[in-house]
Amino acid sequence: MKLKALITASVATSSLLVLAPNAMAAPSPEGLYFGVGTGFSSLENDDDDVDDFIESGSEDFDVDDDDNSFKGFVGYNFNRYFATEAFYADLGRVELKGNDTANTDLESEAYGVSLVGKLPITNWFELFAKAGMAKWETDIDGNLGGASTDLKDNDGVDPVYGAGAQFNFTPFLVRAEYERYDFDSDYQVDSFSASVGWQF
């Protein structure tokens, strides 16, 4: 699944490189933009942390934490160095495999706003870093055998931050980025994605 998402993102990026070789130009220093992306997510915590997060009362499970992720964003450039973004992210599924056929799926999503600082390297290439707050929800479905079957869904509002690089094929944009969704100390999700978008 992860390989499929990366291939899709690579094909989309390559298509823009082929179709718009002469479109590399400085984007408007002010204006609206939006985009969509795909990639993969990965959980940074161990079994003990995840047990605390879902309050299962058991540590007898294995964690399968790599899955496809998807995102959408809309932002506004105030100038070449500063922007704000609103975003939604489907962070995929983490599977907990217990004894026999027992298993539990944790599916997470988040939405929020970020402040974006940009460093133009050329007219058509820039680096960026961002930080913001995300409203997140993790739906928990299943059981872990002898553990409590009343596993609790979880939600909250916590920081999200990341960094990446963006190519400007005016009016198109192509970006690759890393993001950390810091749900709490027991559940931190890393997301790696490639996105395409449009600048106005």
Side-chain angles (χ1 to χ4, degrees), residues 89-108:
D90 179 341
L91 296 170
R93 178 177 63 184
V94 172
E95 185 177 2
L96 310 183
K97 299 178 180 179
N99 295 327
D100 300 323
T101 59
N103 63 79
T104 299
D105 292 335
L106 285 69
E107 297 187 13
S108 299

Side-chain angles (χ1 to χ4, degrees), residues 22 83 90 97 111 129 139 144 195:
N22 297 319
D90 179 341
K97 299 178 180 179
Y111 57 90
D139 294 328
L144 290 172
S195 302

Side-chain angles (χ1 to χ4, degrees), residues 97-177:
K97 299 178 180 179
N99 295 327
D100 300 323
T101 59
N103 63 79
T104 299
D105 292 335
L106 285 69
E107 297 187 13
S108 299
E109 61 181 3
Y111 57 90
V113 294
S114 295
L115 302 178
V116 184
K118 302 184 294 180
L119 177 63
I121 304 301
T122 69
N123 284 339
W124 50 270
F125 178 70
E126 63 192 27
L127 303 177
F128 64 88
K130 59 185 181 179
M133 297 297 290
K135 173 70 172 73
W136 58 269
E137 298 177 357
T138 298
D139 294 328
I140 303 174
D141 182 29
N143 67 81
L144 290 172
S148 168
T149 58
D150 186 24
L151 301 177
K152 296 182 179 180
D153 292 347
N154 217 328
D155 59 45
V157 178
D158 287 286
V160 57
Y161 42 90
Q166 179 169 306
F167 292 89
N168 297 302
F169 303 93
T170 306
F172 301 106
L173 66 85
V174 178
R175 67 162 57 168
E177 63 187 308

Side-chain angles (χ1 to χ4, degrees), residues 26-61:
S28 173
E30 297 180 10
L32 191 70
Y33 62 91
F34 69 89
V36 294
T38 185
F40 67 94
S41 62
S42 178
L43 181 65
E44 287 303 296
N45 301 89
D46 60 23
D47 296 359
D48 293 343
D49 293 336
V50 174
D51 173 56
D52 291 339
F53 181 73
I54 64 176
E55 301 181 19
S56 72
S58 172
E59 299 173 7
D60 189 18
F61 55 79

